[in-house]
Amino acid sequence: MKKRRLTSLLVLGAAGAASAQSNVTLFGVVDASVSRYSTSSRDERSGVTYSPLGLPASFDPNFANQGHIRIGRTALASSGFNQSRLGFRGTEDLGGGLAASFWLEAPMSNDDGQTGLSTFSRRSTVSLSGPFGEVRLGRDYTPSLWNDTVFDPFGTSGVGTNLIFSASVAPNVIAGVPAASVGIPSVLNSNYVRASNSIGYFLPPDLGGFYGQVMYTFHEKSKYTPATLTPETPVNNARAGRYLGARFGYGKGPLDIALAHGDSIVGDNFYAGTTTHTRTSNVGASYDFGPLKLLGEFSRVRRYDNATLAPVLSAERSGFKGYLVGFTVPVGAGLVRASFAKVTYDTSVLRNLSEPEASQWAIGYVHHLSRRTALYATAARLRNKQGAALNVLGAPAPLRNPIMTPYSSTGYDFGIRHAF
């Protein structure tokens, strides 16, 4: 009898705990596409080329123009329209306008099944919200990312992805040259898309169309006091990993406009007296005319080596600026999407020469079979100039050597997306 009563109490307790949770939702996206990628480089030497012996190229095949080299790949890819994912989210009503929420979201590679619930690296947060807004803790999207994706007709997914995004996530390369190359250092930004160990604050949603977000992340590195006791080997990077950013905007009716800025410390060397920052500033806007929605963005990404011990060493090292213009047009049950984007690199010491640049066209069509299921097709074409070496998202990196110069990149997606 006692065992039955104990079992009943446990069942009632579990039911009470479940009822206290307002909702728990399992959600996700499964997106698969047949995708074709290609990247080409070419020998841009013109006229007669002479060998070290002074012979024309026609007599020395080692110095003849090498023409084009193309690298191609066909794949069953994922995330051509929306990023494939699997997640859990829930909210508990605490009364008095307060609510506690959690969000755990994992990336998923449904083309091979190797990734899924092994990590919640897309988002892992717990938050408290109320009339004051929302305070969110954990791993989350950075404020400086949102304009790249919100004002991109392709939502930074698939081959049509915003070229500004592609240039920003290139981890160790600017204008196709490794970070060690003189005069063209990296624009490495480890906190570009998401940041871990963050505290974020969001304005309440009832501000007449105004919205905003600020974020600070802890670098979680050890600090020595007094600072002179900082070990010289290995090089101490006591502040690398810290991010500070904000985004504020106005969205009401057909208009949406937002301004964002982020500062990420990507390197720190106490004894050299330098701290390396990657700073991203962008503004984006869209206006829905009904039959046509226009979107646009301007972005500036800069890398600075700011001296921590000797301010005279401070100097801007590298960066790029870029813009995007695009539109979407509803057509029956479908949507036509198109964009043009361009980035131009600022290589500092090469400022008097033609700066490396890349441009990209993208066009696509999405046909909605239902609210959750859609078929899509996208095509994109990228062109490099003056030494830039970008590629359509997902395409092979272009070949670059003393003879071959990156030239173009092309991509196609044909796929299906199902959300649940």
Side-chain angles (χ1 to χ4, degrees):
M1 190 70 175
K2 290 182 178 180
K3 290 183 178 180
R4 291 181 179 178
R5 289 179 179 176
L6 180 58
T7 301
S8 300
L9 289 174
L10 291 174
V11 172
L12 289 173
S19 63
Q21 185 77 28
S22 298
N23 65 78
V24 176
T25 302
L26 170 67
F27 66 95
V29 171
V30 182
D31 183 315
S33 65
V34 175
S35 299
R36 173 65 183 173
Y37 313 102
S38 67
T39 302
S40 70
S41 300
R42 67 180 184 178
D43 188 344
E44 295 187 337
R45 297 176 298 177
S46 60
V48 178
T49 303
Y50 292 88
S51 72
L53 298 177
L55 298 175
S58 57
F59 297 103
D60 191 341
N62 294 323
F63 290 87
N65 189 289
Q66 301 298 307
H68 285 74
I69 294 180
R70 186 179 303 275
I71 307 172
R73 179 166 57 89
T74 302
L76 180 65
S78 63
S79 307
F81 177 37
N82 290 148
Q83 297 293 312
S84 292
R85 72 198 75 170
L86 184 62
F88 307 87
R89 60 176 180 257
T91 302
E92 180 185 8
D93 188 350
L94 301 176
L98 294 177
S101 304
F102 77 93
W103 191 303
L104 301 173
E105 186 174 321
M108 184 170 61
S109 56
N110 47 274
D111 55 327
D112 56 21
Q114 292 188 13
T115 304
L117 288 185
S118 58
T119 170
F120 291 111
S121 60
R122 284 186 56 85
R123 179 174 166 183
S124 176
T125 61
V126 62
S127 63
L128 182 67
S129 59
F132 56 86
E134 179 184 1
V135 177
R136 190 182 295 177
L137 311 176
R139 178 172 174 80
D140 202 2
Y141 296 93
T142 63
S144 49
L145 161 77
W146 283 112
N147 287 343
D148 284 356
T149 187
V150 170
F151 301 110
D152 176 4
F154 297 90
T156 57
S157 292
V159 297
T161 291
N162 189 339
L163 186 59
I164 297 170
F165 180 95
S166 300
S168 297
V169 298
N172 297 307
V173 176
I174 176 171
V177 180
S181 296
V182 177
I184 313 181
S186 172
V187 187
L188 174 64
N189 186 351
S190 59
N191 292 322
Y192 172 64
V193 179
R194 302 173 181 86
S196 300
N197 313 310
S198 72
I199 297 178
Y201 170 72
F202 295 78
L203 292 174
D206 53 353
L207 297 179
F210 291 96
Y211 57 86
Q213 170 192 6
V214 294
M215 174 186 280
Y216 176 83
T217 70
F218 295 95
H219 50 66
E220 298 189 347
K221 300 294 193 304
S222 298
K223 182 178 181 180
Y224 291 80
T225 303
T228 53
L229 296 180
T230 301
E232 187 170 2
T233 305
V235 175
N236 185 264
N237 58 348
R239 293 194 295 175
R242 194 211 70 181
Y243 172 88
L244 178 63
R247 179 175 184 254
F248 296 98
Y250 175 81
K252 193 172 185 179
L255 176 66
D256 188 8
I257 184 170
L259 175 69
H261 178 78
D263 184 328
S264 179
I265 296 181
V266 296
D268 189 25
N269 188 328
F270 177 84
Y271 281 94
T274 61
T275 300
T276 305
H277 297 250
T278 298
R279 294 174 179 169
T280 302
S281 302
N282 52 48
V283 59
S286 65
Y287 195 91
D288 195 342
F289 292 93
L292 174 71
K293 182 177 182 180
L294 291 178
L295 305 97
E297 180 196 4
F298 177 81
S299 180
R300 178 77 184 273
V301 178
R302 294 167 290 174
R303 172 174 167 163
Y304 290 87
D305 286 339
N306 289 343
T308 55
L309 298 182
V312 70
L313 297 178
S314 298
E316 181 180 351
R317 295 295 301 276
S318 62
F320 68 85
K321 58 182 178 290
Y323 69 87
L324 173 141
V325 291
F327 66 86
T328 62
V329 178
V331 180
L335 184 72
V336 175
R337 308 182 294 171
S339 69
F340 174 78
K342 183 177 181 179
V343 297
T344 302
Y345 290 93
D346 175 8
T347 53
S348 294
V349 298
L350 301 181
R351 198 164 289 168
N352 294 327
L353 303 178
S354 298
E355 302 289 2
E357 64 179 39
S359 58
Q360 176 181 295
W361 289 92
I363 188 167
Y365 175 72
V366 180
H367 186 78
H368 295 280
L369 301 176
S370 70
R371 292 182 61 184
R372 298 183 297 170
T373 304
L375 301 175
Y376 62 89
T378 307
R381 173 76 170 179
L382 181 149
R383 171 75 185 278
N384 289 300
K385 294 181 180 180
Q386 306 298 336
L390 294 177
N391 52 273
V392 169
L393 198 68
L399 178 66
R400 184 187 182 102
N401 57 42
I403 295 176
M404 305 307 297
T405 300
Y407 178 62
S408 66
S409 183
T410 305
Y412 304 94
D413 290 328
F414 302 92
I416 180 171
R417 185 284 322 263
H418 177 74
F420 59 91

